[in-house]
Amino acid sequence: MLRFASLASGSDGNALVIEAREAGAAASTCVLVDCGLNLRDTERRLARHGLEPSAIRGILVTHEHGDHAGCVFDFAAAHGVTVYLTHGSLIALQDEGKVIDGVRLSILTSREPLAIDGLEVRPFTVPHDAREPVQFVLSDGAARLGVLTDIGIGTPHVVEALAGLDALVLECNYDRDMLWNGAYPRWLKERIAGPFGHLDNEDSARLLAALERSRLKHVVAAHLSQKNNRAELARRALAGALGCEESWIGIATQDDGFAWREA
Ligand SMILES: [Zn+2]
Ligand SMILES: [Zn+2]
């Protein structure tokens, strides 16, 4: 059984929790992908999803930006959790003084999958303005969940990495008109819309349409900008790509993330 939920999603902080449990087994494997909330908020939201911090076996870090990595070392130090991250993310976090001595580290590379107990993790590279960003496909050996946020442009490599998923958490960062007509300074608009920034709703819809998705049972739009996007616009774009009901597309919110789903 593979299930997943979000504690929060958006530019104020991201954290996704994934649990793998073998049929009939008492114990399960729980990991976080990113931890960009503060420590108390992370603990409170884990409790809301029925989890103790001690249940978390590891934190997989996509990249060093504060909305993803801001609380990684605080949480890991407080609860004795291993941090899995690329060498580039580690160096960037060291440069920012965010790395806490004594926290167990495991260095990821996009060339090699890894196993955390019963959970198989495949990191893959993405174009984003960070030192060595990755995103992940996670599997319990049966179902596969893809996580893709913070990517400037869909690439053939990403389309290949996300083929044959059962579930996908997919960035829908902004609506193009809302961004360009909005109040952000020009340099920031160009950064967000650039090839190392974020996906807009139409980019995400095109990427989704390009995937091999014969097994796909869940699509959740994530990392929506609170200033430059609206849930109904993201839903409409992704539903258009799939030819499905708009209500079938899930939304990950900044305040609540989303509830458990089973892949
Ligand atoms: Zn982000
Ligand atoms: Zn980022």
Side-chain angles (χ1 to χ4, degrees):
M1 189 273 297
L2 184 73
R3 64 176 191 155
F4 59 104
S6 168
L7 307 187
S9 181
S11 50
D12 289 340
N14 296 271
L16 195 68
V17 55
I18 294 106
E19 182 180 30
R21 186 192 295 268
E22 279 177 61
S28 67
T29 309
C30 245
V31 300
L32 288 175
V33 170
D34 292 333
C35 192
L37 301 161
N38 65 43
L39 184 58
R40 276 186 57 94
D41 221 11
T42 307
E43 292 167 347
R44 200 168 48 79
R45 288 169 187 240
L46 280 172
R48 207 191 282 167
H49 284 81
L51 291 175
E52 296 284 334
S54 59
I56 303 300
R57 290 293 322 275
I59 306 176
L60 297 157
V61 179
T62 59
H63 64 300
E64 66 270 24
H65 290 163
D67 56 323
H68 299 265
C71 186
V72 165
F73 279 89
D74 290 339
F75 188 93
H79 298 294
V81 172
T82 303
V83 175
Y84 298 81
L85 75 182
T86 65
H87 195 67
S89 297
L90 176 62
I91 298 293
L93 289 166
Q94 277 170 341
D95 288 352
E96 293 172 34
K98 298 261 178 66
V99 174
I100 297 176
D101 287 344
V103 169
R104 273 194 312 274
L105 299 177
S106 178
I107 299 298
L108 296 171
T109 90
S110 58
R111 293 180 299 281
E112 277 171 53
L114 66 144
I116 305 173
D117 295 338
L119 192 69
E120 182 194 298
V121 181
R122 287 184 178 272
F124 58 95
T125 52
V126 291
H128 188 57
D129 54 2
R131 209 74 71 89
E132 191 185 350
V134 288
Q135 296 288 325
F136 299 105
V137 172
L138 305 109
S139 174
D140 63 349
R144 297 171 73 234
L145 163 69
V147 179
L148 185 69
T149 68
D150 298 72
I151 168 172
I153 188 167
T155 62
H157 177 63
V158 168
V159 170
E160 192 183 312
L162 298 180
L165 296 174
D166 296 86
L168 173 61
V169 176
L170 175 62
E171 163 163 75
C172 285
N173 194 281
Y174 64 98
D175 170 77
R176 203 161 282 242
D177 291 338
M178 288 179 74
L179 176 73
W180 288 107
N181 296 326
Y184 279 8
R186 186 164 187 89
W187 66 266
L188 184 54
K189 292 178 180 177
E190 285 173 352
R191 189 227 138 206
I192 292 168
F196 296 96
H198 294 274
L199 294 181
D200 79 58
N201 297 333
E202 297 307 322
D203 293 333
S204 302
R206 262 194 302 280
L207 182 61
L208 183 58
L211 300 182
E212 195 292 302
R213 49 180 200 278
S214 54
R215 293 169 56 95
L216 194 61
K217 295 185 283 292
H218 302 267
V219 174
V220 182
H223 212 309
L224 273 70
S225 166
Q226 291 180 286
K227 296 209 171 64
N228 300 314
N229 208 354
R230 289 202 302 268
E232 66 266 28
L233 299 176
R235 270 209 176 96
R236 191 179 307 155
L238 297 189
L242 297 179
C244 70
E245 294 286 332
E246 288 176 20
S247 59
W248 188 81
I249 305 290
I251 298 285
T253 67
Q254 189 68 74
D255 289 341
D256 296 312
F258 59 85
W260 287 110
R261 288 174 171 241
E262 195 171 325

